Amino acid sequence: MSLALPEFRPGTVWLVGAGPGDPGLLTLLAAHALAAADHVVHDALVDRRILALAAPGAELESMGKRGGADSPKQAAITARLIELAQAGKRVLRLKGGDPFVFGRGPEEAQALAAANIAFRIVPGITAGIGGLAYAGIPVTAKECNSTVTFVTGHGPDGDLPPDVDWDKLGAGSQVLVFYMAVRQLEKLAARLIKAGRPGTDPVALVSKAASPDQAVLISDLERIAADAAARPLPAPALIVVGPVVGLASVLDWWDGA
Ligand code: SAH
């Protein structure tokens, strides 16, 4: 391949999205950054097969926020990135999906800007689009929806975010894609029904999308909480609500390989 890719300069930080799982979904810039980095600071969602693409001498460091009590504080992560860049390293900050979608990438970039460290943003395929495609669920389809909304289920205290107008959201967007929402699934489904969505609205829970362990649970708003309790699926998982879920019965194509 003779594509000229930008030089990864010492003392800079590249904030890179690794996509939802399948290593084949890395961008060319992400693969280039992995091959050139001196130090990779990755979050917990990044697939091992992707980390294996780092150069042999590169340092790999896990610093992921995972909602758990022992995950490193955001301030410690940004301090580490700054420290490594100031020491002259090529620092790759590798995050699952896209770094600017529900991933603290903006905070990290802001901290780098404030510290006068040169950085580059490399977008990745976000789980809420590419991961759903691996489950045969298009985020838009002409016969289904003209709108799609991406929502986090995780507010500042771990509960549903308080700054969402749930009535307007429920009524206003034909398809809703929720990140970090499995723990709040029962509350979420009830809230959407209260906002006027029918209990028969299709819902899918997509676990470990775009990985060999991908699993999909299809239900509806009325039954999803009970169905998910009866068949618990591992994190990370997305929840998608709306008519596009119905297409999975025909478009489900991923066999894990
Ligand atoms: N920046 C990431 C999202 C980080 S928030 C992105 O753009 O995809 C973490 C949430 O993303 C998880 O709670 C889950 O809802 C979702 N997620 C990330 N990877 C996933 C995967 N492979 N399968 C299902 N959900 C995933």
Side-chain angles (χ1 to χ4, degrees):
M1 190 162 47
S2 61
L3 187 64
L5 290 165
E7 185 194 346
F8 197 159
R9 293 209 172 82
T12 66
V13 179
W14 284 26
L15 202 51
V16 177
D22 186 346
L25 295 179
L26 284 174
T27 61
L28 292 173
L29 279 170
H32 170 63
L34 272 160
D38 300 310
H39 201 111
V40 180
V41 181
H42 61 91
D43 76 14
L45 287 177
V46 178
D47 191 287
R48 280 171 206 286
R49 293 165 301 163
I50 290 174
L51 296 175
L53 298 174
E59 295 280 338
L60 296 182
E61 184 174 3
S62 175
M63 275 194 119
K65 302 257 301 173
R66 202 72 216 260
D70 55 359
S71 64
K73 291 259 180 305
Q74 193 57 45
I77 299 175
T78 51
R80 182 71 176 139
L81 297 176
I82 291 166
E83 177 190 21
L84 288 164
Q86 284 173 343
K89 307 281 186 201
R90 297 174 187 84
V91 185
L92 169 51
R93 173 62 172 140
L94 192 61
K95 292 168 155 300
D98 183 282
F100 277 4
V101 178
F102 300 132
R104 303 291 188 125
E107 287 97 315
E108 293 175 15
Q110 282 169 307
L112 295 169
N116 268 320
I117 288 168
F119 62 89
R120 181 179 191 104
I121 308 296
V122 179
I125 295 179
T126 190
I129 298 179
L132 293 184
Y134 271 56
I137 302 172
V139 288
T140 71
K142 194 164 180 251
E143 71 268 31
C144 295
N145 60 320
S146 311
T147 52
V148 55
T149 304
F150 299 94
V151 188
T152 174
H154 192 95
D157 56 2
D159 207 340
L160 290 177
D163 60 346
V164 172
D165 183 330
W166 292 95
D167 290 325
K168 288 202 173 117
L169 180 76
S173 182
Q174 292 145 310
V175 171
L176 305 168
V177 179
F178 292 94
Y179 292 69
M180 296 178 277
V182 175
R183 279 188 216 161
Q184 304 297 337
L185 187 51
E186 189 171 359
K187 221 185 244 184
L188 179 67
R191 191 66 192 82
L192 292 174
I193 289 173
K194 187 165 164 242
R197 290 185 91 98
T200 53
D201 211 6
V203 180
L205 194 155
V206 182
S207 158
K208 297 193 147 188
S211 84
D213 306 321
Q214 173 176 299
V216 183
L217 175 66
I218 299 210
S219 182
D220 62 24
L221 269 185
E222 193 77 61
R223 295 176 298 124
I224 184 67
D227 288 352
R231 186 188 163 204
L233 292 174
L238 292 151
I239 295 157
V240 52
V241 181
V244 289
V245 169
L247 297 176
S249 60
V250 176
L251 299 183
D252 174 27
W253 62 276
W254 169 240
D255 59 8

